Amino acid sequence: MKKFISLRTCFLACALVSTSFAADRVVGANATLDIEPGARSAALGSATLAVEGDYLGLGTNAYQLSQAKYMWASFSHTAYYEDTKYDYASMVIPLPGNQGLGVSFSRFGADDIPYIREGDPLPEGTDYNTLSIADWVFSVAWGRRIIDRLDLGLAFHVLYRDMDQSGWGFRGDASARYQIKDDFYVSGLLKGWTSSATSWESGEFEYSSPEFYLALSYGLPVNYLYGKFNFYWQSAGLFHREARDLDFETDTNGKRIWENPLDWLSGGHGGVEFAFDFGLKLRVGLSSFTTFKSVTAGAGLTIANFLEVDYAFESHPVFSPVHRVSVNFSPYLFGHKPKESGHTNKTATTKKLVTEEPEDLPVEDFVEESIQETPVPAAPAVNEVPESSPVPSAPAAPVTPTTQTAPATAAPAEDAKPVVPVAPAVAPTQPTPIVETDDEILE
């Protein structure tokens, strides 16, 4: 009986909650989060998930934070039709252990919109009341290398909408990238794994279901062109066909991969980039493979190690073209040289020390130190004859005619020891022979 009462109580509570708090499933809740902020990815057909190194796309590919080595600050500005503007700023902070943290802030809206209150007369001339509408977005992203060749990223977004009625939105994304082989990567994005939810001032609650995307990137070095080709592709939504219907009116089919794989592939978008070794990058892409009216193009230039500038042109089959500019700046590289990648082994380190150390020491200093360290010739020490003592040239005993033969055989044997080495013993007092002898030894 108690179990039955508890079940009935839970059922009534759920019914009351459902009546007082209605959740409507919609398409594209918090769609502002899907706007492309970076000029580099925009010029490549907005294949942001496949583009690594574009820190303006942290909302889509947070996994790239695992490769962050320096702090970067990025800014972008986009001028849309009817004076609508989109401004975006982000910062990347590297962390120990192949990790990185990113924060971003953006505003998408329009200002100075004329309006007339209900019941007011039409103003004369241009004396209109004006208002502004905007979406403000704050995002936090984190990326880390999980295992070799596998990177993972998480991003959380909070949106505040200021229109005729205000509202709050929230969404969480998860992305990953795996290196299949050199310069060949596959990426995945689970957008809205927390669901993309919006709560309005009126009490209405909306949400969109999660969606999954795939992406591929491949790099091909071309040495005779002094650069490298980069190819990027991002798929359409894997779960829902409405993910394609939102993009262009020409996407009338939008079938899912298990319904029609070829039609699903045609709903993707991508681009090609050629990066020259001296810092110039040329790009072209398609925002939708179903129409060539969605062509995109752009260029990027690395002015210095700490400054990068990108531009993108985006056409649209219905609306006016869009121009986008972005700038990346590294405070660390502004005052420091890039860090060396990898570590030098012991053999290379020893070779470097052997080849570079003598260059730091002048030859004159090396010779002088060697001369000072050269010991004084040991001739005086061996013969135990001081340099100031005279060398006897004849025996001290007087020589007589009767004893001349006998001493002639004995005296030279005694006197041969001091007499023969005495001549080189005088040499150390002369500096020139010493320097010449040491130079020959050093050579």
Side-chain angles (χ1 to χ4, degrees):
M1 184 68 179
K2 293 182 180 180
K3 183 177 181 181
F4 174 75
I5 294 175
S6 62
L7 290 176
R8 186 176 65 177
T9 303
C10 293
F11 177 78
L12 292 175
C14 293
L16 291 174
V17 171
S18 62
T19 55
S20 60
F21 185 76
D24 299 328
R25 182 181 181 275
V26 298
V27 176
N30 300 321
T32 305
L33 300 176
D34 299 329
I35 298 177
E36 178 58 56
R40 180 186 177 190
S41 296
L44 295 169
S46 296
T48 315
L49 181 59
V51 181
E52 193 270 337
D54 185 5
Y55 294 128
L56 289 165
L58 295 178
T60 301
N61 54 357
Y63 63 79
Q64 62 179 323
L65 290 171
S66 63
Q67 304 294 328
K69 296 181 181 179
Y70 316 103
M71 180 180 294
W72 284 91
S74 304
F75 309 91
S76 70
H77 174 76
T78 307
Y80 285 97
Y81 24 82
E82 300 298 333
D83 293 333
T84 304
K85 299 179 178 62
Y86 182 52
D87 297 299
Y88 187 95
S90 67
M91 176 169 287
V92 172
I93 303 172
L95 300 176
N98 293 328
Q99 299 182 86
L101 179 67
V103 293
S104 63
F105 180 80
S106 64
R107 179 186 185 272
F108 174 63
D111 302 316
D112 299 329
I113 303 174
Y115 77 99
I116 302 174
R117 293 186 179 92
E118 186 177 358
D120 291 348
L122 292 176
E124 297 181 359
T126 58
D127 188 15
Y128 286 91
N129 295 322
T130 60
L131 57 84
S132 299
I133 58 174
D135 286 348
W136 305 83
V137 179
F138 177 76
S139 304
V140 178
W142 168 82
R144 180 180 181 181
R145 169 151 289 188
I146 305 300
I147 59 175
D148 189 25
R149 295 174 176 247
L150 178 62
D151 301 323
L152 177 66
L154 297 175
F156 298 93
H157 317 279
V158 177
L159 181 146
Y160 174 71
R161 175 164 292 176
D162 184 13
M163 297 180 66
D164 53 344
Q165 62 172 326
S166 61
W168 289 88
F170 175 82
R171 193 179 83 189
D173 300 331
S175 59
R177 183 184 70 166
Y178 181 76
Q179 183 181 10
I180 300 177
K181 57 185 301 185
D182 294 341
D183 292 329
F184 185 34
Y185 299 88
V186 58
S187 307
L189 169 66
L190 183 58
K191 185 177 72 175
W193 61 274
T194 59
S195 76
S196 185
T198 304
S199 177
W200 294 97
E201 188 179 11
S202 61
E204 186 178 0
F205 184 83
E206 301 174 342
Y207 74 95
S208 295
S209 300
E211 183 61 283
F212 185 77
Y213 299 87
L214 286 173
L216 296 174
S217 63
Y218 178 70
L220 180 63
V222 184
N223 295 329
Y224 57 86
L225 291 179
Y226 301 99
K228 178 182 180 182
F229 274 109
N230 296 313
F231 302 91
Y232 305 99
W233 170 81
Q234 181 175 332
S235 72
L238 194 66
F239 297 150
H240 311 288
R241 67 174 288 175
E242 58 262 23
R244 282 186 54 191
D245 294 337
L246 288 174
D247 295 336
F248 299 100
E249 294 180 356
T250 54
D251 296 340
T252 55
N253 296 325
K255 294 184 179 179
R256 291 166 288 191
I257 186 172
W258 56 85
E259 297 174 347
N260 191 333
L262 294 179
D263 185 75
W264 176 79
L265 289 173
S266 66
H269 43 105
V272 181
E273 175 187 61
F274 187 81
F276 290 94
D277 294 338
F278 55 86
L280 177 64
K281 302 178 180 65
L282 303 178
R283 308 177 180 111
V284 65
L286 286 173
S287 296
S288 176
F289 290 154
T290 58
T291 174
F292 286 102
K293 294 181 179 180
S294 64
V295 65
T296 61
L301 180 63
T302 302
I303 301 176
N305 291 329
F306 59 89
L307 184 61
E308 298 177 357
V309 180
D310 296 291
Y311 165 79
F313 168 84
E314 304 170 71
S315 62
H316 196 279
V318 179
F319 299 107
S320 303
V322 174
H323 303 272
R324 198 184 308 266
V325 178
S326 63
V327 178
N328 300 317
F329 173 77
S330 175
Y332 177 86
L333 293 178
F334 179 75
H336 302 81
K337 294 181 179 180
K339 300 176 182 178
E340 294 183 0
S341 58
H343 300 279
T344 309
N345 55 30
K346 294 182 179 180
T347 305
T349 304
T350 305
K351 183 178 179 181
K352 183 178 180 180
L353 292 175
V354 170
T355 55
E356 295 184 359
E357 187 175 7
E359 296 178 0
D360 300 333
L361 185 63
V363 178
E364 293 81 5
D365 297 341
F366 182 78
V367 172
E368 183 179 354
E369 292 179 2
S370 301
I371 293 174
Q372 292 176 0
E373 294 177 0
T374 303
V376 179
V382 174
N383 298 313
E384 300 181 357
V385 178
E387 297 179 2
S388 58
S389 60
V391 180
S393 57
V399 180
T400 58
T402 55
T403 59
Q404 188 173 3
T405 306
T409 57
E414 267 181 81
D415 299 339
K417 295 180 181 179
V419 172
V420 175
V422 165
V426 184
T429 60
Q430 300 178 3
T432 304
I434 295 176
V435 175
E436 292 180 354
T437 302
D438 291 342
D439 288 342
E440 293 176 358
I441 294 173
L442 294 176
E443 292 177 355

